[in-house]
């Protein structure tokens, strides 16, 4: 059985985010790199006040190389536009930087990242947050929430609220992909927009 070292061995000693992003392209810290098309690192304003964290790249992100460009990303863009937040002022990333999936015929079916992969990838996320130095971090869904607040943190209990962290405030809401799967998308979307309105105001 192959043992992977985690991302820490791949992180350069630099304060330059672009250099870190380039280094992430060579990361073999867990086994996800084997099947993924590429590393999908964070993107956006280098010193953003607010960072949004998702779970992992999806199929579209894996092919494109940028976070939140698929259906969930378009829904997030719509919500940000509805509350008057310019995406270009934010930094968007994921807890895990490679796409985990199951091949089913020609389709690649999203698979939730395992705890070992979240832990292995954590140094990249930590480095991003250190370099961007945001005032507010918004966790989109359970994987992001666990990555920042620990595996016991529950979206159902923390949703729409703010938690004081050592270096920034943390807001929690659902991942936009959950809205796409909701029985009533309109109700789910309205609740998501309400969450973002509250979190950005806080």
């Amino acid at each position: 059985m192959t043992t992977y070292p985690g991302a820490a061995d791949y992180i350069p000693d630099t304060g330059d985010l672009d250099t870190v992003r380039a280094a992430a392209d060579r990361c073999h810290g867990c086994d996800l790199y084997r099947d993924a098309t590429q590393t999908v690192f964070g993107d956006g304003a280098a010193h953003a006040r607010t960072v949004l964290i998702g779970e992992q790249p999806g199929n579209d992100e894996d092919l494109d190389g940028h976070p939140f460009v698929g259906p969930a990303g378009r829904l997030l863009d719509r919500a940000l536009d509805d509350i008057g937040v310019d995406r270009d002022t934010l930094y968007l990333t994921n807890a895990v930087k490679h796409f985990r999936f199951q091949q089913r015929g020609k389709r690649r079916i999203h698979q939730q990242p395992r705890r070992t992969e979240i832990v292995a990838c954590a140094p990249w996320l930590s480095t991003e947050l250190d370099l961007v130095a945001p005032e507010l971090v918004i966790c989109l869904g359970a994987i992001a929430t666990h990555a920042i607040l620990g595996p016991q943190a529950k979206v159902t209990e923390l949703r729409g609220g703010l938690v004081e962290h050592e270096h920034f405030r943390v807001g929690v809401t659902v991942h936009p992909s959950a809205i796409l799967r909701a029985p009533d998308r309109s109700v789910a979307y309205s609740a998501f927009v309400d969450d973002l309105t509250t979190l950005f105001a806080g």
Side-chain angles (χ1 to χ4, degrees), residues 118-132:
I118 298 168
V119 171
C121 213
W124 290 121
L125 181 59
S126 178
T127 300
E128 287 177 289
L129 293 174
D130 286 346
L131 295 181
V132 176

Side-chain angles (χ1 to χ4, degrees), residues 123-202:
W124 290 121
L125 181 59
S126 178
T127 300
E128 287 177 289
L129 293 174
D130 286 346
L131 295 181
V132 176
E135 298 174 19
L136 173 65
V137 170
I138 297 178
C139 298
L140 302 171
I143 298 298
T145 302
H146 295 165
I148 298 298
L149 298 177
Q152 305 306 315
K154 295 182 179 179
V155 174
T156 51
E157 295 176 357
L158 299 171
R159 182 175 181 178
L162 291 167
V163 176
E164 291 297 329
H165 200 270
E166 185 177 1
H167 300 296
F168 43 74
R169 287 165 294 139
V170 180
V172 174
T173 185
V174 297
H175 194 280
S177 63
I179 297 157
L180 297 175
R181 299 190 302 267
D184 190 328
R185 286 191 187 182
S186 178
V187 170
Y189 179 76
S190 294
F192 181 60
V193 169
D194 288 345
D195 286 347
L196 292 180
T197 299
T198 299
L199 296 176
F200 275 99

